[in-house]
């Protein structure tokens, strides 16, 4: 085959891939939760409650109203505990996905987040474990993970509140590839649109990783902010739960109880960078 024909086939393959990406629209999204009703499908547990004196079920996971332009919108507010209460180390909340992401599949997940306040330590993403095992493993129940925190790590590293992803060496801030710098800290009381494209293929097939896109704050339009973030555990199992976790930190050195707001959780097969709310 001539080099000219090879070049043509490569170009055709690239255009076909782009066509497949563009084919998915807002009608292809499957709702996980928009918090306009109850939390009956969610489970919330505090699996490392070290509060003293003991506070039963200290986490705050509630639906709250927000006045939109023409109507009232509702969102989920999650905090590890009320102000002044410390020692709740693992405040878990999770809900089953409407469809499992099987091994070998790629799905796009969409979510809106809003930092109610710093200081805080929040993580959210997907799990391939059952509720019993989520409760047992907590952070290690995560696979694709996104993180919001300004806590100081045990090695002295001070996080600045930028959105973070999981890597094989720990966590990394998302990036502003235009400026070749880390993204800026998330602004409080500001909604961010987040898309994470999850590749649940085997590691041997370049899977167990995810790409992240953000719109909001410094990103005035949808922007790729991290390529090939890594699953936390790489179990190579079907992804079946959306999971959120937060942590006040230890009693002696608490992180803080700042809340994180969640809204409009959706999933779509393949790569879908449309906005399901529009």
């Amino acid at each position: 085959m001539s080099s000219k024909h090879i070049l043509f086939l490569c170009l055709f393959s690239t255009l076909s891939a782009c066509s497949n990406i563009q084919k998915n629209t807002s009608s292809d999204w499957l709702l996980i939760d928009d918090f306009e009703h109850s939390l009956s499908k969610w489970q919330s547990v505090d699996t490392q409650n070290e509060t003293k004196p003991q506070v039963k079920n200290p986490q705050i996971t509630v639906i709250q109203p927000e006045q939109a332009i023409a109507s009232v919108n509702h969102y989920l507010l999650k905090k590890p505990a009320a102000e002044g209460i410390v020692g709740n180390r693992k405040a878990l909340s999770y809900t089953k996905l409407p469809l499992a992401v099987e091994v070998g599949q790629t799905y796009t997940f969409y979510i809106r987040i809003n930092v109610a306040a710093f200081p805080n330590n929040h993580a959210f993403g997907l799990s391939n474990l059952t509720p019993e095992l989520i409760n047992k493993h907590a952070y290690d129940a995560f696979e694709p993970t996104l993180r919001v925190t300004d806590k100081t790590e045990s090695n002295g590293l001070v996080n600045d509140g930028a959105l973070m992803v999981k890597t094989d060496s720990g966590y990394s801030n998302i990036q502003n590839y235009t400026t070749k710098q880390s993204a800026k800290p998330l602004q409080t009381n500001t909604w961010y649109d987040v898309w994470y494209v999850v590749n649940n293929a085997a590691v041997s097939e370049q899977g167990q990783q995810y790409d992240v896109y953000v719109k909001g704050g410094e990103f005035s339009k949808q922007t790729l902010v991290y390529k090939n973030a890594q699953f936390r555990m790489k179990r190579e199992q079907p992804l079946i739960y959306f999971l959120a976790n937060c942590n006040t930190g230890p009693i002696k050195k608490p992180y803080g109880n700042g809340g994180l707001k969640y809204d409009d959780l959706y999933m779509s097969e393949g790569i879908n960078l449309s906005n399901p709310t529009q």
Side-chain angles (χ1 to χ4, degrees), residues 50-196:
E50 299 173 356
T51 57
K52 294 182 180 179
Q54 181 84 174
V55 177
K56 187 177 181 180
N57 304 321
Q59 72 168 281
I60 296 172
T61 303
V62 295
I63 292 176
Q64 291 196 334
E66 174 187 57
Q67 183 63 52
I69 295 176
S71 62
V72 176
N73 176 59
H74 294 84
Y75 60 85
L76 180 74
L77 173 67
K78 185 169 175 63
K79 299 175 63 173
E83 295 304 316
I85 297 174
V86 298
N88 193 23
R89 305 306 308 280
K90 294 179 177 67
L92 307 174
S93 296
Y94 45 87
T95 188
K96 193 171 186 179
L97 298 177
L99 285 178
V101 180
E102 301 293 343
V103 176
Q105 290 185 317
T106 294
Y107 265 76
T108 303
F109 287 80
Y110 171 88
I111 188 172
R112 295 196 308 132
I113 61 169
N114 183 319
V115 179
F118 287 110
N120 65 42
N121 183 27
H122 289 264
F124 61 93
L126 306 174
S127 178
N128 45 26
L129 299 183
T130 60
E132 179 182 3
L133 292 176
I134 289 174
N135 294 347
K136 177 181 178 181
H137 293 287
Y139 284 103
D140 284 344
F142 280 113
E143 291 290 5
T145 315
L146 293 158
R147 188 189 193 201
V148 179
T149 187
D150 54 347
K151 68 170 287 242
T152 301
E153 305 287 2
S154 57
N155 62 5
L157 174 66
V158 180
N159 296 301
D160 63 4
L163 184 64
M164 307 177 83
V165 299
K166 191 72 181 70
T167 69
D168 286 337
S169 58
Y171 289 97
S172 172
N173 285 0
I174 62 170
Q175 301 295 302
N176 187 324
Y177 290 122
T178 300
T179 63
K180 299 181 180 180
Q181 294 179 335
S182 168
K184 297 176 182 178
L186 295 171
Q187 301 170 17
T188 58
N189 298 307
T190 300
W191 284 104
Y192 289 78
D193 300 271
V194 181
W195 295 257
Y196 47 115

Side-chain angles (χ1 to χ4, degrees), residues 21 24 100-109 126 196-202 205-211 231 239 267-272:
I21 292 174
N24 288 1
V101 180
E102 301 293 343
V103 176
Q105 290 185 317
T106 294
Y107 265 76
T108 303
F109 287 80
L126 306 174
Y196 47 115
V197 181
V198 175
N199 179 354
N200 200 31
E205 298 175 353
Q206 290 74 54
Q208 304 296 288
Q209 57 187 13
Y210 57 108
D211 299 337
F231 282 23
L239 299 165
M267 62 187 292
S268 178
E269 186 173 8
I271 301 173
N272 187 350

